[in-house]
Each structure stands twice: as C-alpha cells, then as structure tokens.
Amino acid sequence: KPSMNYLTLKQLSQKLGGRGRSSIYRDIDLGRLPPPIRLGGRIYWCEQDIDALMQAGSEKALAVDAQ
C-alpha cells in the first residue's frame, strides 16, 4: 500500500502552478478541491487526491480564473 503524502498550503499552491490561497479556498468551497485534513493543528491535503483530480482533467477547472 503506498504511503500517503501530505501537502502544505504552500506546496499545494506550487503544485497548482502558483495558485493563491484565496483561489484555493474558493475552489474548496466550489467542490473543485477536497477539503484539507487537520493534523496536529496544521492543515494538509492528501497529494494522491490532488494528483487524481489533476489526472482526471480537473486541471481545466483549476486553471487560473480570469481576475
């Protein structure tokens, strides 16, 4: 079983091409991104979940919106 890899908000932003914090949270509200996991008072995203979304073509939905 592969080990789970967790991303911080900064790492998630980089993985999504430099997406801003407010855009990431808007995507969570809209259901485009999974909600974060709380571990020890910090928040993380499961990298496998993000990879699966990106491979499924959600990168189009996650493309940087017009201002």
Side-chain angles (χ1 to χ4, degrees):
K1 185 176 170 175
S3 65
M4 298 300 258
N5 217 7
Y6 295 104
L7 301 171
T8 63
L9 179 65
K10 183 176 180 183
Q11 291 168 321
L12 177 62
S13 170
Q14 289 169 342
K15 191 172 185 81
L16 297 176
R19 198 155 183 75
R21 175 189 166 102
S22 59
S23 296
I24 288 171
Y25 279 98
R26 188 173 63 237
D27 287 338
I28 293 166
D29 288 343
L30 293 172
R32 295 181 193 165
L33 283 173
I37 300 161
R38 243 175 224 291
L39 294 174
R42 301 187 66 186
I43 58 168
Y44 300 93
W45 282 263
C46 176
E47 188 169 29
Q48 284 87 339
D49 291 349
I50 302 302
D51 287 342
L53 279 173
M54 292 173 81
Q55 285 164 5
S58 292
E59 68 268 12
K60 291 182 202 70
L62 294 172
V64 179
D65 311 20
Q67 284 78 28

